[in-house]
Amino acid sequence: MNKQTTQAISEGTSAYGLRVAIIVSRFNEPVTSRLLQGAEECLQKYGGSKNNCPVYFCPGAFELPQVANALASRKSLDAIICLGAVIRGETPHFEYVSSEAARGIQDVALKHAIPVVFGVLTTNDEAQALERAGGKLGNKGWDAALAAIEMASLFKKLKRKAKRPSG
Ligand code: INI
């Protein structure tokens, strides 16, 4: 079950023609591969094309902002989706990785004025993560893709408005 379960969808939502990069962390790969599947299914369902939606892999969630920053610098994308799974262990590592991923992703979005979506699960164990990666609680990869489509469409609208001559 990869369908989104929690997000409202605005009317006319479309990924047609949108250029959306997906960055996937390989750490906890059984989870992140399912998030990727959900995100790709969502983009296709809303009219996105594989050609316009390249996928990049990185080692862990900590590296997601670094890749997002490199991609955003190219100025050729409408949105970036970051997918990862940080699972709590017995050390404070979880806090460092998850908080740096969240902070870094928002920093990239604000620095480059491009939607960068946080599709990173932060859970106590793998079972909780799998429930949210195509299990009984939906697929956060799908939700992240939907957020990216909505934000990319909104940014396009805002840019069109800004270009319109006033008066
Ligand atoms: N990376 C994750 O994506 N999830 C984790 O749960 C995780 N844990 O628990 O360690 C994790 N660590 C690796 C980290 O993201 C970096 O790749 C690594 O520290 C190298 O910079």
Side-chain angles (χ1 to χ4, degrees):
M1 203 271 282
N2 275 320
K3 297 272 179 291
Q4 64 87 30
T5 50
T6 52
Q7 269 179 280
I9 308 165
S10 52
E11 216 179 312
T13 299
S14 173
Y16 181 77
L18 291 182
R19 297 157 303 169
V20 182
I22 308 175
I23 313 170
V24 191
S25 145
R26 276 186 282 98
F27 209 100
N28 295 317
E29 192 275 339
V31 177
T32 61
S33 60
R34 287 170 169 82
L35 295 176
L36 173 60
Q37 193 188 342
E40 288 193 309
E41 283 178 12
C42 180
L43 288 166
Q44 275 160 37
K45 159 120 199 299
Y46 286 97
S49 76
K50 278 218 166 207
N51 262 357
N52 285 339
C53 301
V55 179
Y56 302 90
F57 293 91
C58 68
F62 189 81
E63 283 75 30
L64 288 167
Q66 301 169 28
V67 183
N69 191 53
L71 291 174
S73 303
R74 296 182 185 170
K75 309 250 173 261
S76 60
L77 293 166
D78 296 307
I80 299 172
I81 299 169
C82 295
L83 300 176
V86 192
I87 298 179
R88 193 181 287 280
E90 286 174 5
T91 69
H93 201 66
F94 172 91
E95 268 78 26
Y96 290 114
V97 173
S98 54
S99 64
E100 283 306 297
R103 186 195 56 82
I105 286 168
Q106 186 69 289
D107 282 355
V108 174
L110 298 175
K111 176 177 156 196
H112 295 279
I114 176 181
V116 186
V117 172
F118 184 68
V120 180
L121 292 173
T122 55
T123 61
N124 288 326
D125 54 45
E126 193 183 41
Q128 283 182 350
L130 287 169
E131 280 174 357
R132 292 158 178 80
K136 67 178 183 198
L137 296 178
N139 190 318
K140 292 294 168 194
W142 175 290
D143 292 354
L146 209 51
I149 297 167
E150 182 176 349
M151 288 292 285
S153 307
L154 176 59
F155 273 45
K156 275 184 183 282
K157 202 190 284 179
L158 294 174
K159 277 182 199 153
R160 278 199 300 272
K161 275 198 174 171
K163 273 189 193 157
R164 241 181 256 156
S166 55

